[in-house]
Amino acid sequence: MSPQPQAAVGAPLSRVDGRLKVTGKALYAAEHDVDGAVHAVIVDASIGRGRITSIDTGAAEAHPGVLRVISHRNAPNLPYRDNPGSNNPPGRRLRVFQDDRVVFHGQPVAVVIASTLEAAQHGASLVEVRYEAETPSTDLHEAEPGAPTDYARGDAEAGLSNAAVRLDLAYELARNHHNPMEPHATIARWDGDKLTVWDKTQWVMGTHDELAAVFDLPADAVRVISPFVGGGFGSGLRCWPHTIVAALAARVTRRPVKLVLSRKQMYFGTGFRPSYEYRLRLGSDRRGRLNAAIHDIDAETSSFETFNEAVMSAGQMLYSMPNVRQSYRTVPLDVNTPIWMRGPGFASASFVIESAMDELAHELGVDPIELRRRNEPREDESTNEPFSTRRLGECYTVGAREFGWDRRDPRPRSTWDGDQLIGLGMAAGVYDPGRFPAQARARLDADGTAVVEAATSDMGPGTYTSQTQVAADALGLTMRTVTFRLGDSLYPPTSPHGGSATMASVGSAVVDACNQVRQQAIKVAVEDRESPLYGVTADHVVVRNGRLHVQNNPARGETYKSLLARNDRSYLEANGTYDGPGSERSAYFAYNATFAEVAVDANLGLVRVRRMLGVYDAGRIISPKLAQSQAFGGIVGGIGTALLEHTVTDHRDGRIVNASLADYLVPVNADVPEIKAIYLDGEDNAGNLLGVKGLGEVVQVGVAAAIGNAVFNATGRRIRQLPITAEALL
């Protein structure tokens, strides 16, 4: 078959939805104009554990504009069917207003519905709740962990005992919150027994299925709409209680209900990257060849669900070593359930592993890049599978050259710029991109334009644009003649929009659907006696700019428009599928090498990142302009993890002390250094049609470690606790 010309894929195109966003015409969850919508505000529990003894709603109900107050005292019973296909972790998910138990500070205990937002807010402040409080368990250091998940190969204890060089290192990683610009919000409306929800979600079908399960509805009785998502970073990967509350309030009041979480409520109403205690024991010979590693990992979860993430994977496959043992224990606490956050598991593990590798390099007097090269595996030693591609060595080479690594003085505290100590650091990064089943639908209309639909999301990486690029090339159309629609459960179902899975999964389904439509058109043409292409072998026909022609004879052909008009076809349509990676046996990962230069005030301990570079082995890059945006965002997020972000909990009652953007620090423009991103040219065809690996997660993995290693090079102080604060350096 002749290859289809590629005009859109690989081009640095601007976002197709950019004009809608900058003109304010892109509608986010709370902005949809639903006739008759009233407002709901959640009343949050003010204790961290216990039971409700009384709720006085009299003052709230008497307030002008308040329509209803719902709590466990008057809420209808909700079925809460099991939902095994959801992103709900194992356990018993929170059932809103179904009993008097409080299991974390901020849990919804009532909701006030009113004709205006102001009336609902004031009404919520008038609800008086009394509790029988118990002392909550919210301290990872003090609580008892659950049963471990273990991994082992070789004899790690013996290998460590026999190692010429041994390190025993303990790390603490703070909880991080997502803090997207758009708060989580839901509008819910019932039309008889049918429920429509406009929601901020990264998984339209997941929210659809959870609503159907909670309210015991057939699948066709629920519709979820989410055309734009103002940032997510993982926070929208499951259906949170506030969405259920909005739907319940709408059913009780028989009015459409809008519910928007406040910024404070975002800290306990949705999930977060869990905090970790991570001990790593590492052994090597005098040349730095790794012999053994023992990982002991404790991570927080809620008391009612067990959240796990892939924190063990990097320690099993990133470096070659014969002896590895891991023990990963979740620690049940009286908190809301954590959720995946950009680079989940891998970002946390990478800080530990890559900091330890830097420490070992310093101990041995070996360059950190050279140490990593000496421990480069030939295959994934946890599965004995070959790597689909692994170009980490090229990432080191390109990064060292472009960053000027040869100018690094390996002696800590040796490079000054006035009162500033200057340091360079680097780290490797790896991520396991998701590949999940997905479907898409493509329709070519008689006017020569096309519409492609899939129920995926776009939280900011540019799904509208990248999928339009893929569809345009597969159909042989220009970008302006293709419309990609997403964010509606009426469209073909897709996997969650996270885990770097969307391009490989949804993109493959889009390619399949568009290829089918193009092949349908070619079949019609070569069988049509009036077509210039009549009798041509179908495999020799390509389509460019909406015109079908013989590959080596562009003059012989015709447009989609003329072909469909002559054959009295109003449209051609096909459904595309992607079934997942299939049965191929290869280790499929994306990689990076991240470099950082920092300046540390010798008197104040303040750390400023001066410049950063990321070099990525991420397969085929569909949209270079969007890729740059992804890398910049991931690096900025990693700066936040390294230097700023830290959730503070009052362990007396479980209250989050810094639940605001004034007190929970995230990087702002003044914190962002010069950033450069480089992508190795190539593709990885393991398990998807596009040769992509996914980019959204790997760009944050290793950033915190690179900064921490640069801080050590600058100051000689090894900080094993995130974030790295001025106090730790003084």
Side-chain angles (χ1 to χ4, degrees):
M1 180 178 292
S2 300
Q4 246 315 90
Q6 300 291 292
V9 168
L13 304 177
S14 297
R15 294 173 184 258
V16 298
D17 54 330
R19 182 174 293 275
L20 290 176
K21 289 183 173 179
V22 300
T23 59
K25 293 180 180 178
L27 296 181
Y28 295 86
E31 297 179 323
H32 292 273
D33 185 12
V34 179
D35 287 344
V38 295
H39 298 265
V41 171
I42 290 174
V43 179
D44 313 305
S46 59
I47 65 169
R49 178 185 175 119
R51 55 181 294 270
I52 301 167
T53 57
S54 68
I55 298 182
D56 185 352
T57 61
E61 290 169 332
H63 183 67
V66 170
L67 305 173
R68 194 73 177 265
V69 181
I70 305 172
S71 69
H72 75 280
R73 297 184 313 160
N74 59 354
N77 291 328
L78 297 179
Y80 275 95
R81 288 191 331 239
D82 287 342
N83 186 11
S86 71
N87 274 338
N88 300 334
R92 186 178 187 273
R93 62 198 190 275
L94 188 74
R95 287 153 165 75
V96 293
F97 310 151
Q98 300 300 292
D99 57 45
D100 63 359
R101 292 297 304 173
V102 174
V103 292
F104 62 90
H105 194 286
Q107 173 187 323
V109 294
V111 62
V112 176
I113 305 101
S115 56
T116 66
L117 175 60
E118 292 77 12
Q121 289 172 330
H122 189 63
S125 73
L126 298 176
V127 176
E128 294 187 9
V129 185
R130 297 184 183 276
Y131 306 92
E132 183 180 290
E134 303 169 21
T135 302
S137 173
T138 58
D139 191 341
L140 183 61
H141 300 84
E142 303 295 331
E144 285 295 318
T149 299
D150 296 320
Y151 169 84
R153 69 171 180 261
D155 188 337
E157 289 287 357
L160 196 63
S161 298
N162 296 329
V165 181
R166 294 188 293 272
L167 300 179
D168 188 346
L169 310 170
Y171 297 84
E172 294 183 12
L173 286 71
R175 181 197 290 187
N176 286 179
H177 278 84
H178 305 76
N179 280 302
M181 187 173 292
E182 179 198 15
H184 280 264
T186 305
I187 302 174
R189 183 185 71 199
W190 291 83
D191 299 294
D193 292 330
K194 293 185 180 294
L195 172 63
T196 301
V197 165
W198 293 262
D199 192 50
K200 174 183 175 143
T201 176
Q202 290 173 240
W203 191 16
V204 168
M205 298 312 301
T207 298
H208 168 276
D209 293 349
E210 180 70 355
L211 287 165
V214 170
F215 289 93
D216 194 19
L217 298 169
D220 62 1
V222 180
R223 183 183 181 189
V224 176
I225 302 170
S226 183
F228 292 97
V229 177
F233 314 110
S235 64
L237 283 172
R238 69 176 292 189
C239 181
W240 294 106
H242 70 271
T243 301
I244 307 302
V245 170
L248 174 63
R251 192 168 80 170
V252 169
T253 60
R254 299 182 181 179
R255 300 277 296 274
V257 168
K258 178 187 295 188
L259 193 160
V260 182
L261 294 186
S262 67
R263 182 59 59 176
K264 179 180 179 180
Q265 288 173 325
M266 294 274 284
Y267 286 83
F268 44 73
T270 63
F272 46 86
R273 192 195 304 277
S275 59
Y276 280 93
E277 291 182 342
Y278 196 137
R279 181 188 180 194
L280 176 59
R281 287 174 281 170
L282 198 63
S284 78
D285 64 19
R286 291 290 178 187
R287 295 191 67 253
R289 290 283 300 176
L290 295 171
N291 186 45
I294 299 176
H295 306 248
D296 292 299
I297 308 165
D298 287 350
E300 67 177 325
T301 188
S302 68
S303 62
F304 53 96
E305 291 177 314
T306 302
F307 174 76
N308 292 277
E309 60 182 357
V311 72
M312 300 170 71
S313 298
Q316 297 171 14
M317 54 65 63
L318 186 52
Y319 298 112
S320 176
M321 70 185 83
N323 307 295
V324 178
R325 196 188 78 209
Q326 294 175 312
S327 180
Y328 170 34
R329 306 184 300 178
T330 53
V331 182
L333 299 174
D334 296 314
V335 298
N336 195 9
T337 305
I339 191 70
W340 300 282
M341 187 171 176
R342 198 171 196 174
F346 287 86
S348 299
S350 74
F351 175 71
V352 173
I353 295 167
E354 292 302 291
S355 297
M357 288 294 285
D358 196 75
E359 195 154 345
L360 179 62
H362 179 72
E363 179 80 12
L364 296 169
V366 176
D367 181 84
I369 294 178
E370 176 58 26
L371 178 66
R372 288 166 171 82
R373 291 190 188 278
R374 292 178 186 179
N375 291 282
E376 181 68 8
R378 295 171 182 248
E379 64 179 7
D380 183 342
E381 295 178 351
S382 68
T383 62
N384 298 318
E385 295 174 348
F387 295 109
S388 58
T389 69
R390 179 174 168 124
R391 302 169 65 191
L392 192 48
E394 292 178 63
C395 292
Y396 297 148
T397 300
V398 173
R401 181 185 68 239
E402 295 296 322
F403 199 69
W405 185 253
D406 59 343
R407 298 195 296 272
R408 172 183 178 268
D409 191 326
R411 299 170 300 163
R413 210 177 177 87
S414 61
T415 304
W416 292 77
D417 181 0
D419 291 334
Q420 305 288 313
L421 288 158
I422 309 302
L424 303 185
M426 61 80 57
V430 61
Y431 188 77
D432 178 8
R435 291 170 294 170
F436 307 118
Q439 298 179 31
R441 179 168 52 245
R443 189 186 75 237
L444 174 67
D445 289 322
D447 63 358
T449 65
V451 175
V452 183
E453 297 170 334
T456 187
S457 301
D458 188 348
M459 63 171 160
T463 309
Y464 278 107
T465 306
S466 58
Q467 300 295 346
T468 303
Q469 289 175 269
V470 167
D473 281 352
L475 289 166
L477 292 171
T478 61
M479 288 282 288
R480 63 183 178 81
T481 57
V482 177
T483 299
F484 184 72
R485 296 174 180 165
L486 56 73
D488 193 324
S489 61
L490 295 181
Y491 298 156
T494 62
S495 55
H497 178 55
S500 294
T502 302
M503 199 67 251
S505 304
V506 180
S508 292
V510 167
V511 168
D512 183 40
C514 294
N515 282 346
Q516 290 184 55
V517 169
R518 187 185 77 253
Q519 289 158 10
Q520 287 177 28
I522 292 172
K523 185 175 186 295
V524 171
V526 299
E527 294 177 356
D528 179 1
R529 292 181 178 274
E530 298 183 32
S531 172
L533 295 170
Y534 175 67
V536 174
T537 301
D539 288 352
H540 295 167
V541 178
V542 297
V543 187
R544 181 184 283 110
N545 294 332
R547 187 173 181 275
L548 304 88
H549 65 83
V550 179
Q551 182 186 16
N552 297 321
N553 184 8
R556 184 179 177 183
E558 66 173 320
T559 64
Y560 278 138
K561 189 174 181 180
S562 65
L563 175 69
L564 268 61
R566 189 175 59 254
N567 284 272
D568 197 25
R569 303 287 290 269
S570 58
Y571 65 89
L572 299 174
E573 187 174 75
N575 292 320
T577 61
Y578 175 69
D579 296 328
S583 60
E584 90 280 350
R585 301 290 294 173
S586 62
Y588 172 81
F589 295 94
Y591 303 91
N592 77 53
T594 300
F595 295 78
E597 177 182 316
V598 302
V600 183
D601 190 298
N603 299 310
L604 302 177
L606 296 175
V607 180
R608 298 303 299 267
V609 182
R610 284 190 165 188
R611 59 192 179 102
M612 293 204 70
L613 167 68
V615 183
Y616 305 100
D617 168 18
R620 187 184 188 194
I621 301 301
I622 300 298
S623 178
K625 197 169 185 178
L626 295 175
Q628 288 288 95
S629 177
Q630 285 291 284
F632 285 23
I635 287 172
V636 171
I639 292 172
T641 296
L643 301 176
L644 298 168
E645 299 188 48
H646 181 200
T647 305
V648 180
T649 302
D650 186 334
H651 297 306
R652 295 173 300 176
D653 60 6
R655 180 174 63 93
I656 297 174
V657 176
N658 59 335
S660 72
L661 289 180
D663 298 310
Y664 181 97
L665 302 181
V666 296
V668 297
N669 285 346
D671 300 305
V672 178
E674 171 195 337
I675 299 174
K676 184 176 182 180
I678 298 172
Y679 308 91
L680 301 184
D681 187 29
E683 55 189 65
D684 186 338
N685 293 306
N688 72 82
L689 296 175
L690 291 166
V692 301
K693 287 191 178 187
L695 188 63
E697 317 295 337
V698 73
V699 290
Q700 186 154 342
V701 179
V703 175
I707 292 171
N709 295 338
V711 168
F712 173 75
N713 180 242
T715 66
R717 298 289 300 276
R718 181 69 66 180
I719 309 302
R720 303 190 188 101
Q721 185 177 41
L722 291 182
I724 298 168
T725 62
E727 298 94 307
L729 291 169
L730 290 176

